[in-house]
């Protein structure tokens, strides 16, 4: 416990030092993304630390959480649903019915060429029928003021409802993925989740009717006040000036503090539930399955079912974090989702913090995100000091200064090596 407190105190000092030496506005911006990253790490820790499931498709679940914000909270586009909404819903229902019919044919018909022929007929016929309904509906939606809209819009609900909706959407996707992929060996599961995550991003980029694709969705609703509104409030301006702050800076700090309060509340709820689950008989069963699947199955545990359960729960937590991040940015930009940030970095957080430890995942989220943001400017200052005495135009000076851009990856690799060498189970080891 003392070690855990000391580690969290050290990380807290990093953020306080950033506020004192740089600016509190920057420190709070880093803190908010660190809170979201910690929740992502908790989701991955559930899958890997609780059950040993190697999910390399974190990026896809984060993106689905962001998509949920658009679907839930964005305002409906006038005339879009009437133009093609019913057609899209009918096509999606037909697609689901086609998949169900194909599964029924495969299960109920005896093996042979007749089953193969019937399966092909169902799939091919269903595909062409789906496209015949889907394509005209999509074209009608995308034709509505494409420069400004070109999409179907959302339900216009309060944006805070989008956070559980993001978890639900990611959980549904995880259930569909798990039903087909969890029977695979761990390395094949990793490949399957990575491929499916890329498919999710490709769909979001290319289906303009859904969330404008690469045109991006901007000005999404926020659960906190806008900075401009605060700056135009005479009472707020007087309050800020009374504390000696510029109203523009004060408004940015207040908005970030409001976000931080919401994010801390969500993180506290998830950590509390995760700790209760981990200490329960269910948590002990999950750890037993993780340590020895054969022995757990011999004791009568349904390993595949439990794997699906924890895979869905972890994906739901990641989806909630993805919805929170999109709400923080007030925009959905599918082109910014990349495996380096939303898969590799989250895995580094889990490994450094301690696999199987909820508090380790939180610590890893805070520490690694702070390093990810701050290492490059620190490295640039350090290299600037090192090269200060070198002659201008020197190839070595130019090379060293250009190397600052690579400090992030170098630091992540170095931290991983040090942790794996001196604390192989992470900074806060799990049980």
């Amino acid at each position: 416990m003392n070690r855990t407190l000391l580690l969290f105190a050290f990380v807290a000092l990093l953020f306080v030092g950033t506020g004192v030496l740089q600016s509190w506005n920057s420190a709070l911006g880093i803190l908010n993304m660190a809170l979201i990253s910690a929740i992502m790490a908790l989701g991955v820790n559930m899958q890997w630390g609780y059950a040993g499931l190697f999910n390399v498709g974190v990026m896809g679940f984060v993106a689905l959480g962001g998509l949920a914000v658009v679907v839930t909270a964005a305002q409906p586009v006038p005339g879009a649903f009437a133009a093609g909404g019913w057609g899209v819903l009918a096509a999606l229902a037909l697609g689901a019915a086609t998949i169900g019919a194909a599964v029924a044919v495969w299960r109920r018909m005896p093996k042979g060429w007749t089953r193969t022929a019937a399966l092909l007929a169902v799939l091919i016929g269903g595909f062409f029928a789906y496209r015949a309904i889907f394509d005209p509906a999509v074209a009608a939606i995308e034709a509505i003021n494409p420069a400004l809209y070109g999409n179907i819009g959302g339900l216009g609900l309060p944006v805070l409802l989008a956070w559980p909706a993001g978890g639900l959407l990611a959980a549904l996707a995880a259930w569909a993925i798990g039903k087909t992929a969890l029977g695979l060996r761990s390395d094949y599961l990793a490949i399957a989740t990575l491929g499916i995550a890329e498919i999710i991003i490709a769909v979001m980029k290319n289906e303009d009717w859904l969330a404008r694709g690469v045109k991006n969705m901007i000005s999404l609703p926020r659960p906190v006040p806008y900075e401009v509104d605060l700056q135009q409030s005479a009472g707020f301006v007087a309050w800020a000036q009374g504390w000696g702050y510029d109203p523009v800076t004060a408004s940015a700090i207040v908005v970030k503090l409001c976000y931080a309060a919401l994010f801390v509340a969500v993180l506290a709820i998830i950590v509390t539930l995760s700790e209760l689950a981990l200490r329960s008989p269910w948590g002990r069963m999950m750890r037993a399955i993780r340590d020895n699947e054969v022995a757990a199955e011999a004791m009568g545990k349904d390993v595949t079912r439990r794997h699906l359960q924890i895979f869905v729960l972890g994906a739901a937590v990641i989806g909630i974090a993805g919805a929170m991040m999109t709400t923080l940015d007030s925009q959905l930009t599918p082109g910014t989702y990349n495996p380096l940030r939303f898969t590799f970095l989250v895995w580094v957080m889990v490994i450094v913090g301690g696999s199987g430890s909820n508090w380790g995942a939180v610590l890893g989220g805070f520490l690694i995100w702070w390093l990810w943001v701050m290492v490059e400017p620190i490295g640039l200052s350090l290299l600037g000091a090192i090269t200060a005495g070198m002659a201008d135009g020197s190839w070595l000076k130019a090379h060293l200064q250009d190397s600052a851009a690579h400090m992030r990856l170098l630091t992540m690799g170095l931290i991983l090596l040090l942790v794996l060498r001196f604390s192989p189970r992470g900074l806060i080891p799990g049980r």
Side-chain angles (χ1 to χ4, degrees):
M1 179 59 70
N2 290 336
R3 175 179 174 176
T4 301
L5 291 176
L6 287 174
L7 288 170
F8 273 101
F10 170 73
V11 172
L13 283 176
L14 294 179
F15 284 91
V16 172
T18 304
V20 172
L21 299 176
Q22 190 170 350
S23 73
W24 289 109
N25 198 6
S26 299
L28 288 171
I30 299 171
L31 175 64
N32 284 332
M33 276 305 303
L35 289 165
I36 294 173
S37 298
I39 296 173
M40 292 181 190
L42 278 169
V44 174
N45 183 60
M46 290 179 185
Q47 296 172 338
W48 174 251
Y50 291 12
L53 298 178
F54 192 27
N55 173 21
V56 196
V58 179
M59 172 184 66
F61 297 120
V62 174
L64 287 174
L67 179 62
V69 177
V70 177
V71 174
T72 304
Q75 293 300 316
V77 175
F81 193 84
W86 291 112
V88 169
L89 291 178
L92 294 176
L94 178 60
T98 300
I99 294 173
V103 171
V105 167
W106 183 260
R107 289 181 176 176
R108 296 182 181 181
M109 291 187 66
K111 292 182 179 180
W113 68 269
T114 53
R115 183 175 74 170
T116 303
L119 182 64
L120 290 174
V122 169
L123 290 175
I124 295 173
F127 173 77
F128 282 104
Y130 166 82
R131 300 303 304 192
I133 300 174
F134 184 76
D135 290 347
V138 167
I141 293 172
E142 293 180 353
I144 297 177
N145 195 359
L148 187 60
Y149 297 115
N151 68 303
I152 199 168
L155 299 176
L157 298 175
V159 69
L160 288 180
L161 294 178
W163 296 2
L168 179 61
L169 183 59
L172 290 173
W175 180 86
I177 295 168
K179 290 294 285 185
T180 56
L182 283 181
L184 301 175
R185 222 170 56 194
S186 60
D187 48 353
Y188 293 121
L189 174 64
I191 295 170
T193 52
L194 177 61
I196 291 169
E198 292 292 345
I199 291 171
I200 291 171
I201 299 301
V203 170
M204 289 178 60
K205 286 181 178 179
N206 291 284
E207 297 295 330
D208 288 2
W209 66 273
L210 186 59
R212 302 196 76 225
V214 294
K215 299 174 185 175
N216 305 332
M217 288 288 297
I218 60 174
S219 301
L220 292 172
R222 300 168 57 173
V224 300
Y226 284 91
E227 291 86 347
V228 174
D229 294 337
L230 292 177
Q231 295 163 19
Q232 293 175 350
S233 169
F236 177 82
V237 170
W239 174 83
Q241 291 175 343
W243 283 91
Y245 279 99
D246 173 61
V248 175
T249 303
S251 64
I253 291 176
V254 168
V255 167
K256 286 182 171 65
L257 284 173
C258 292
Y259 271 122
L262 290 172
F263 295 163
V264 166
V266 174
L267 178 61
I269 291 170
I270 294 175
V271 169
T272 301
L273 294 177
S274 299
E275 281 291 293
L276 291 174
L278 194 61
R279 298 173 187 272
S280 69
W282 177 87
R284 291 191 290 272
M285 175 190 65
M286 293 306 305
R287 292 198 297 273
I289 292 174
R290 175 197 64 191
D291 295 337
N292 195 325
E293 290 185 15
V294 176
E297 199 163 11
M299 295 296 292
K301 305 303 180 184
D302 191 339
V303 173
T304 302
R305 181 181 178 186
R306 296 306 178 185
H307 276 174
L308 179 61
Q309 186 180 64
I310 197 63
F311 189 72
V312 169
L313 287 174
V317 173
I318 297 170
I320 291 171
M324 293 165 63
M325 187 184 71
T326 298
T327 305
L328 176 65
D329 296 336
S330 295
Q331 60 182 359
L332 178 67
T333 54
T336 60
Y337 292 103
N338 63 81
L340 176 63
R341 165 64 183 95
F342 296 106
T343 297
F344 168 74
L345 200 63
V346 178
W347 269 100
V348 173
M349 295 171 184
V350 174
I351 294 170
V352 170
S355 176
S357 168
N358 294 316
W359 290 110
V362 174
L363 177 72
F366 282 104
L367 176 61
I368 297 302
W369 181 252
W370 185 89
L371 289 170
W372 183 256
V373 175
M374 295 301 297
V375 155
E376 187 171 338
I378 291 174
L380 186 60
S381 300
L382 179 62
L383 291 175
I386 293 173
T387 59
M390 296 183 182
D392 292 336
S394 167
W395 67 270
L396 181 58
K397 182 176 183 178
H399 173 73
L400 289 175
Q401 289 177 343
D402 291 341
S403 299
H406 307 291
M407 291 294 290
R408 281 178 170 177
L409 298 179
L410 176 64
T411 304
M412 293 301 109
L414 181 61
I415 288 173
L416 273 178
L417 286 174
L418 291 174
V419 169
L420 293 175
R421 171 61 182 85
F422 296 104
S423 184
R425 297 177 59 202
L427 298 176
I428 305 178
R431 296 182 178 181

